[in-house]
Amino acid sequence: MIKAIIIEDEDLSAKRLVRLLGELRTDVQLVQRLESVDDTVHYLRNHQHEIDLIFLDIHLSDGHSFEVFNQVDIDLPIIFTTAYDKYALQAFRQTSIDYLMKPLQAEDVSRALEKFDRLFHKRTEEEIPDYLTLLQALKPAKTDLKKRFLVQVGAKMRSVAIEEVHLFYAENKACFLITNEGRRYDINYTLEKLMQQLDETQFFRLNRKVIAHIQSIQEVYQFSKSRFRVTLTHSPGFDIFISLERMGAFKKWMNQ
């Protein structure tokens, strides 16, 4: 029996993959579905030895799956699911992994599992792909970084330059920015969309609710065994925490 996990934040894609696996194979046991970087890191740190195969979406609810590889050494076969351009992913076919283009098709899932069958029992340590290098090579260059935001102040509108932004945060299905002067503005974005347009050397997604500029960080201290508390120059009105799993990536960002 092949014990597999699905790491996918889109319900429809996850359900489609579960259905296709059920139709194609009786020897694949799905033991877990995960939806975020944080949950994936925590699970793999504790249960990686219990599974045989990973289905991994490149885009997750709280960031790219690149972040998982920064925090956990993974030596399991991975079948990626992605909406990336097919041409850009040919490198994956040259390694002992495969990928599934969305929307998922039965023949593609079957092909990937057949490749897993051929490689799994004879895989050696030397054949383990360098997943982080592969993913970083495929990570799209940000050529259109966000430079300013049009915001509304009463009946008037103004432009807020990216250099003025202290942090972004999500609350009650809305997204806001706070400037260096502490002013708050509602913006028509999601944090996921913002991270695709921000300079990642300047901005970091602390958790599911907050993206902070590096100059906004005042101090970080351990709050509990699993969380660190972050103090910013201007608070969004609630406490901000970073999970233990994200601290490695956070320290690397702060020290680059």
Side-chain angles (χ1 to χ4, degrees):
M1 183 66 68
I2 301 168
K3 294 184 178 180
I5 63 171
I6 293 176
I7 304 169
E8 169 65 74
D9 64 322
E10 297 177 2
D11 284 339
L12 289 178
S13 293
K15 290 177 181 178
R16 183 178 179 85
L17 178 54
V18 170
R19 178 176 62 79
L20 289 172
L21 289 172
E23 293 173 355
L24 293 167
R25 300 284 289 256
T26 59
D27 61 339
V28 177
Q29 178 187 357
L30 295 175
V31 298
Q32 186 69 267
R33 178 196 166 189
L34 304 162
E35 301 181 31
S36 70
V37 171
D38 282 356
D39 288 346
T40 299
V41 169
H42 179 75
Y43 182 87
L44 291 176
R45 280 181 173 169
N46 293 280
H47 303 286
Q48 183 172 178
H49 63 285
E50 301 172 7
I51 56 178
D52 304 309
L53 176 64
I54 300 173
F55 290 90
L56 175 63
D57 185 21
I58 290 180
H59 293 284
L60 300 175
S61 62
D62 58 346
H64 290 89
S65 59
F66 310 102
E67 299 175 33
V68 175
F69 298 92
N70 282 326
Q71 301 177 58
V72 183
D73 292 327
I74 299 176
D75 63 356
L76 292 169
I78 297 176
I79 296 174
F80 293 94
T81 60
T82 178
Y84 270 102
D85 177 74
K86 204 168 185 177
Y87 177 79
L89 288 167
Q90 290 305 310
F92 278 72
R93 282 254 172 87
Q94 298 171 17
T95 68
S96 57
I97 55 177
D98 211 331
Y99 69 91
L100 306 175
M101 295 294 297
K102 295 179 180 179
L104 305 181
Q105 303 298 322
E107 58 269 28
D108 295 330
V109 176
S110 179
R111 181 202 69 233
L113 289 170
E114 287 173 2
K115 186 172 183 180
F116 169 80
D117 289 338
R118 292 196 306 271
L119 296 167
F120 178 68
H121 293 297
K122 62 180 181 180
R123 181 172 62 92
T124 66
E125 186 174 350
E126 287 73 24
E127 292 172 325
I128 296 169
D130 184 349
Y131 294 121
L132 182 57
T133 299
L134 276 172
L135 285 171
Q136 292 290 8
L138 293 170
K139 194 172 182 179
K142 294 183 178 179
T143 56
D144 297 318
L145 294 177
K146 193 70 177 170
K147 296 181 177 65
R148 60 189 65 87
F149 295 87
L150 184 65
V151 299
Q152 189 146 358
V153 186
K156 300 179 181 179
M157 290 185 290
R158 62 157 294 202
S159 180
V160 177
I162 192 67
E163 292 80 11
E164 299 178 61
V165 177
H166 182 75
L167 65 89
F168 301 93
Y169 72 95
E171 189 173 49
N172 298 325
K173 298 184 178 180
C175 188
F176 304 90
L177 69 78
I178 295 180
T179 69
N180 298 328
E181 297 177 346
R183 295 191 176 94
R184 184 180 84 158
Y185 299 102
D186 188 349
I187 56 174
N188 187 26
Y189 278 82
T190 63
L191 296 189
E192 288 74 20
K193 185 177 179 181
L194 282 169
M195 284 305 300
Q196 296 173 17
Q197 301 179 50
L198 295 174
D199 182 350
E200 291 184 27
T201 66
Q202 300 297 309
F203 290 92
F204 186 86
R205 187 162 185 177
L206 302 176
N207 53 41
R208 296 185 184 184
K209 297 181 66 175
V210 178
I211 298 172
H213 189 276
I214 194 164
Q215 296 297 330
S216 70
I217 309 292
Q218 281 197 326
E219 63 179 7
V220 181
Y221 62 91
Q222 190 154 10
F223 183 81
S224 67
K225 290 184 178 180
S226 60
R227 295 195 300 172
F228 291 76
R229 186 170 182 172
V230 182
T231 303
L232 305 180
T233 306
H234 298 295
S235 170
F238 52 83
D239 293 336
I240 301 171
F241 297 98
I242 303 180
S243 67
L244 178 62
E245 288 77 16
R246 287 190 65 76
M247 277 304 294
F250 177 74
K251 290 177 180 178
K252 184 177 180 180
W253 172 72
M254 288 287 288
N255 196 41
Q256 63 187 332

